[in-house]
Amino acid sequence: MKKRSKILASLVLAGTMVLSLAGCGDSGSANGGTQSGKNSDAKYQVGICQLVQHEALDAATKGFEDALKDKLGDEVSFDEQNAAGDASTCSTICTTFVTNDYDLILGNATAALQAASAATDSIPILGTSITDYATALDMSDWSGTTGKNISGTTDLAPLDEQAKCIKELFPDAKNIGIIYCSSEPNSIYQSTTITKYLEDEGYTVKEYTFSDSNDVAAVTQSACDASDAIYIPTDNTAASCTEAINNVASQAKKPIFAGEEGIAKGCGVATLSISYYDLGYTTGEMAYDILVNGTDIKTMEVKSAPKFTKEYLPDRAKELGITVPDGYEEISAE
């Protein structure tokens, strides 16, 4: 079913995409790297558009693929493409998926989901690593389902609990700086929401935003100069630039609380995080229900992560003189 024109289109796409995330080290392959054993003869063809390569999104993609392979084996094939942080490349990828008439599309991160949504209103689309679907899809009346060909999983940790973690870790701090990319709507949502909780905890809060990876170091320096501690939400550009952030923050001796584990490992001291692999696996199980069981995606509720874990990096905590209370699990820096 629907197989013959797919290989040529995929090759054309792979040849046209460009890898670029300036100054941030590892950003992955614009043509999708592994390609996950693409097999045009498989019964189910699934296109995966991942916004950028970093630990969290990579884990979500792997979990998604593993879930479907566990259930379908060789009956499923993946066309995995990485947009190298570029929203327009996400659009190109998703348009090709639609041209190839794939059976399902995964949008890994907000820009990828938005591109898939713009590309088709008929092929089932699942999102993962999405903070807030209402924000991502510009929906004012959110009920837990989209009512269209879109569902998926959210990586949003409870922001009120993250604010409490910041208070117990940095009780003497007065000024909290929030760093994020201004072009990522879900980061804006997280910053706005957690600001209220942090102010309730008695902090003065200020946002410091960068427009792309080229501004990360300068913005981080400004935040460190004016803040006692830093908060970084689940921001994809920041996640790809943790080395640049850490270089500045470590020299300034300013602690960072991160919205997810990958950012924490790269530049943070602690996090309240989820397992992105588990999140992706849950999304893969949803895909199986759609492809095999015929579940109507329009009525599928967006699912949350199964659990959240307090984590900290002992070496950074020691360097910064931070006493970590009981209840935090140790993790190691990248």
Side-chain angles (χ1 to χ4, degrees):
M1 52 187 284
K2 309 177 290 186
K3 307 297 189 258
R4 297 197 175 270
S5 64
K6 301 180 180 181
I7 298 176
L8 178 59
S10 296
L11 290 173
V12 171
L13 173 63
T16 58
M17 296 162 68
V18 179
L19 171 62
S20 175
L21 267 178
C24 295
D26 243 356
S27 56
S29 168
N31 66 2
T34 65
Q35 290 294 307
S36 298
K38 180 87 170 61
N39 173 18
S40 60
D41 293 324
K43 182 176 181 180
Y44 301 105
Q45 301 291 330
V46 176
I48 298 174
C49 178
Q50 181 174 317
L51 174 62
V52 67
Q53 183 179 10
H54 63 66
E55 181 177 341
L57 299 190
D58 291 349
T61 291
K62 187 176 190 318
F64 175 80
E65 293 179 353
D66 284 354
L68 281 175
K69 286 187 287 189
D70 285 348
K71 292 178 176 294
L72 293 172
D74 293 337
E75 288 190 325
V76 64
S77 179
F78 304 101
D79 183 357
E80 181 187 335
Q81 301 285 343
N82 191 298
D86 183 62
S88 63
T89 302
C90 287
S91 297
T92 303
I93 292 169
C94 291
T95 298
T96 302
F97 290 166
V98 174
T99 300
N100 288 345
D101 199 17
Y102 285 172
D103 299 292
L104 185 140
I105 296 172
L106 176 72
N108 190 350
T110 298
L113 178 70
Q114 290 170 330
S117 177
T120 178
D121 60 3
S122 57
I123 296 174
I125 298 167
L126 288 173
T128 192
S129 313
I130 310 298
T131 302
D132 180 63
Y133 281 76
T135 300
L137 300 174
D138 195 22
M139 300 177 65
S140 57
D141 185 18
W142 179 248
S143 62
T145 61
T146 67
K148 56 178 72 174
N149 63 318
I150 299 171
S151 188
T153 54
T154 173
D155 63 354
L156 181 62
L159 295 170
D160 56 340
E161 294 299 321
Q162 289 196 349
K164 291 177 182 177
C165 289
I166 291 171
K167 185 65 175 180
E168 66 184 6
L169 288 165
F170 319 128
D172 298 326
K174 299 188 181 302
N175 299 300
I176 303 295
I178 302 179
I179 301 175
Y180 66 90
C181 180
S182 58
S183 65
E184 297 194 28
N186 283 328
S187 297
I188 298 171
Y189 169 82
Q190 291 173 84
S191 179
T192 300
T193 303
I194 201 170
T195 291
K196 299 172 186 175
Y197 294 126
L198 290 171
E199 288 175 344
D200 289 344
E201 296 288 353
Y203 292 115
T204 298
V205 183
K206 183 176 179 180
E207 296 178 328
Y208 297 85
T209 64
F210 47 86
S211 58
D212 57 39
S213 58
N214 295 310
D215 302 330
V216 168
V219 169
T220 302
Q221 186 65 62
S222 296
C224 288
D225 288 344
S227 309
D228 301 309
I230 305 295
Y231 172 74
I232 302 177
T234 55
D235 183 279
N236 291 297
T237 308
S240 299
C241 298
T242 55
E243 182 178 356
I245 294 170
N246 187 57
N247 287 341
V248 175
S250 61
Q251 186 171 356
K253 299 190 180 303
K254 295 298 171 70
I256 293 174
F257 187 91
E260 57 92 6
E261 183 182 280
I263 296 176
K265 287 181 176 181
C267 62
V269 69
T271 182
L272 177 65
S273 187
I274 65 171
S275 164
Y276 276 82
Y277 178 87
D278 291 347
L279 192 73
Y281 200 96
T282 297
T283 316
E285 292 175 326
M286 295 173 73
Y288 177 83
D289 284 339
I290 294 165
L291 294 170
V292 179
N293 297 332
T295 302
D296 184 359
I297 194 171
K298 294 180 181 179
T299 63
M300 294 183 79
E301 288 194 3
V302 169
K303 295 185 177 183
S304 300
K307 66 177 182 177
F308 302 92
T309 305
K310 291 181 177 181
E311 300 173 333
Y312 81 107
L313 291 94
D315 289 345
R316 288 200 186 118
K318 183 177 180 180
E319 289 173 7
L320 294 167
I322 296 169
T323 300
V324 178
D326 293 338
Y328 284 76
E329 296 182 6
E330 292 187 10
I331 56 175
S332 300
E334 292 179 337

